Amino acid sequence: MDDFNDLAALYILNMVDEEASYNPRHGFTVKYDPFTQCDRLFVKNYRLSKDLVQQLLALITPYIEPERRSSSIKLSEKVFLALNFFATGCYQTPIGNNRYVAVSQPTVSRSINCVVEALNHPRILNEWVKFPNNMQKIKQIRNEFFINTSFPGVLGCIDCTHIAIVPPNNQNAEIPEYIYVNRKGYHSLNVQLICDSKLYILSVNAKFPGSTADSHIWNSSTDIKNILEELYRREHKGIYLLGDSGYALRPWLLTPYSETTTNEEEKYNKMQMTTRSIIERCNGVLKARFRCLLKHRVLHYTPQKSGKIVNACVILHNMCILAKIPVPDMNDENVEEIDFGIINNNYPEDGIRGRNVNPELVESRRIRDNIARCLYNR
């Protein structure tokens, strides 16, 4: 009944708005204030609540140069243009033609760029997407994982997902166009995400072309690897990420058994997969909330700008997680199966074929076997 009332209110609002704001001779004369929408429609259109939008405005204002032209639109209008693009994935011209905003396509483009660049400022990005680097936060996340999943020692789940982009300019000899073609034949970025048990994203890496293997992106994540390795060297050995078989087994990154021979190993694999599914849900929620990241929408930007849009959406996703904004309907027909990164089910556990003498690998197997034994005997 509430949904029907909301739809009826929106229909009436649209009719009134058409009559009040459009003049055949003079075009659009009145702009619509999104804050007058009911809360449910506001979140549906912009994904953030009204309070979160106010928080976002306060967050990015210090990092945006004031407009000098009197004809420039307000920052709040720029934010709504960008949020509507992130939420719907519609191209810029339809957004600009929307009677609620009534601005030109170049204005939409500049608005999106303005908001994206502000959110990618290091002070904002590093504050809102931050891998834990102190024991108090590490223990908190680890304990929450255990409470929610019964799997011990987990600091985060890691996986990659593809974000479709238009074919980049082929004039760049160092980064040719073809390396952005992924295994399914379309151009994309292969984006690495690490999340906690509440779907809060702790790390995002949106810099690599679609053909890049998940393991290569992880091996390039030296900042996070250094934190985990340092914890291990300081005898904090019960802390690790969970990844799929596309990653090499390490004491700080546990993967499934490639072949199970005991009941203990089978139970470990089942619980590891169940716990690891959190990152799959996180990927799904991120794309359902910000549909510009969906495969069929395709980001019509350079790879570098597309990566910044991904970062911006991740920050907004984390804001929504902390504020407990309801997740959009993931059964919507427009939300396709999430396209994850490259998975090589035969990836050697030590990362190098024919070498099984790596001492870290030996220790990794011992840790995994101990966990499997504990999970089975629980």
Side-chain angles (χ1 to χ4, degrees), residues 39-235:
D39 292 341
R40 180 177 298 185
L41 289 177
F42 189 93
V43 172
K44 180 178 180 180
N45 288 328
Y46 304 107
R47 297 306 192 237
L48 277 63
S49 67
K50 295 176 183 179
D51 288 341
L52 272 188
V53 170
Q54 296 287 9
Q55 181 181 342
L56 176 61
L57 284 167
L59 180 67
I60 67 175
T61 296
Y63 306 100
I64 294 178
E65 294 185 5
E67 292 285 356
R68 299 177 180 178
R69 297 177 302 171
S70 59
S71 60
S72 299
I73 65 174
K74 297 186 297 184
L75 178 57
S76 60
E77 293 177 285
K78 294 179 181 179
V79 166
F80 282 122
L81 287 169
L83 289 178
N84 190 246
F85 170 73
F86 298 150
T88 65
C90 293
Y91 299 125
Q92 294 178 7
T93 299
I95 294 177
N97 289 338
N98 188 300
R99 59 183 163 274
Y100 295 163
V101 288
V103 296
S104 66
Q105 188 274 336
T107 299
V108 177
S109 181
R110 288 192 297 268
S111 298
I112 294 173
N113 183 70
C114 173
V115 175
V116 168
E117 289 297 326
L119 287 172
N120 275 267
H121 191 283
R123 290 184 180 176
I124 295 180
L125 183 59
N126 295 337
E127 178 63 27
W128 280 94
V129 187
K130 180 166 55 178
F131 195 80
N133 57 5
N134 64 78
M135 286 307 302
Q136 180 180 359
K137 186 62 176 179
I138 288 171
K139 289 180 179 179
Q140 176 188 339
I141 296 174
R142 184 185 62 178
N143 292 340
E144 289 172 350
F145 257 108
F146 184 74
I147 292 171
N148 293 331
T149 68
S150 299
F151 203 106
V154 182
L155 181 57
C157 296
I158 182 172
D159 203 357
C160 291
T161 186
H162 287 288
I163 305 297
I165 63 173
V166 295
N169 192 324
N170 205 22
Q171 296 178 356
N172 191 335
E174 296 182 0
I175 310 178
E177 167 269 334
Y178 66 84
I179 68 172
Y180 288 92
V181 180
N182 62 33
R183 74 193 188 282
K184 292 191 175 181
Y186 65 90
H187 295 79
S188 70
L189 299 176
N190 195 16
V191 177
Q192 176 183 280
L193 298 175
I194 301 175
C195 76
D196 67 13
S197 63
K198 297 180 179 179
L199 309 186
Y200 189 94
I201 295 175
L202 305 172
S203 172
V204 56
N205 190 329
K207 299 178 180 179
F208 285 86
S211 65
T212 311
D214 296 4
S215 57
H216 177 76
I217 301 175
W218 166 241
N219 289 332
S220 301
S221 305
T222 54
D223 52 341
I224 297 175
K225 290 183 66 178
N226 288 342
I227 292 174
L228 295 171
E229 290 178 21
E230 183 67 18
L231 288 170
Y232 177 75
R233 284 193 293 267
R234 295 189 179 188
E235 300 301 317

Side-chain angles (χ1 to χ4, degrees), residues 162-337:
H162 287 288
I163 305 297
I165 63 173
V166 295
N169 192 324
N170 205 22
Q171 296 178 356
N172 191 335
E174 296 182 0
I175 310 178
E177 167 269 334
Y178 66 84
I179 68 172
Y180 288 92
V181 180
N182 62 33
R183 74 193 188 282
K184 292 191 175 181
Y186 65 90
H187 295 79
S188 70
L189 299 176
N190 195 16
V191 177
Q192 176 183 280
L193 298 175
I194 301 175
C195 76
D196 67 13
S197 63
K198 297 180 179 179
L199 309 186
Y200 189 94
I201 295 175
L202 305 172
S203 172
V204 56
N205 190 329
K207 299 178 180 179
F208 285 86
S211 65
T212 311
D214 296 4
S215 57
H216 177 76
I217 301 175
W218 166 241
N219 289 332
S220 301
S221 305
T222 54
D223 52 341
I224 297 175
K225 290 183 66 178
N226 288 342
I227 292 174
L228 295 171
E229 290 178 21
E230 183 67 18
L231 288 170
Y232 177 75
R233 284 193 293 267
R234 295 189 179 188
E235 300 301 317
H236 298 291
K237 297 185 177 181
I239 300 172
Y240 37 75
L241 303 179
L242 293 186
D244 60 31
S245 55
Y247 299 95
L249 177 66
R250 288 293 180 268
W252 46 83
L253 203 169
L254 298 185
T255 61
Y257 288 96
S258 56
E259 294 181 1
T260 58
T261 58
T262 67
N263 291 336
E264 293 177 355
E265 292 174 357
E266 288 182 1
K267 183 167 184 179
Y268 167 89
N269 271 12
K270 182 177 180 180
M271 291 193 66
Q272 200 266 6
M273 181 180 66
T274 300
T275 305
R276 199 181 73 238
S277 67
I278 290 174
I279 186 61
E280 298 176 2
R281 174 168 170 76
C282 180
N283 282 327
V285 169
L286 175 65
K287 290 187 176 183
R289 182 168 270 144
F290 301 108
R291 301 190 178 190
C292 66
L293 305 180
L294 288 172
K295 174 185 172 183
H296 68 276
R297 297 304 168 97
V298 186
L299 291 175
H300 286 237
Y301 299 91
T302 64
Q304 293 73 25
K305 178 56 68 65
S306 296
K308 289 184 176 182
I309 290 175
V310 173
N311 292 343
C313 290
V314 166
I315 291 172
L316 298 174
H317 164 88
N318 282 350
M319 294 178 71
C320 291
I321 292 295
L322 289 184
K324 298 181 180 180
I325 303 298
V327 178
D329 185 3
M330 297 177 65
N331 294 320
D332 191 301
E333 62 182 1
N334 290 324
V335 181
E336 83 281 0
E337 179 182 357

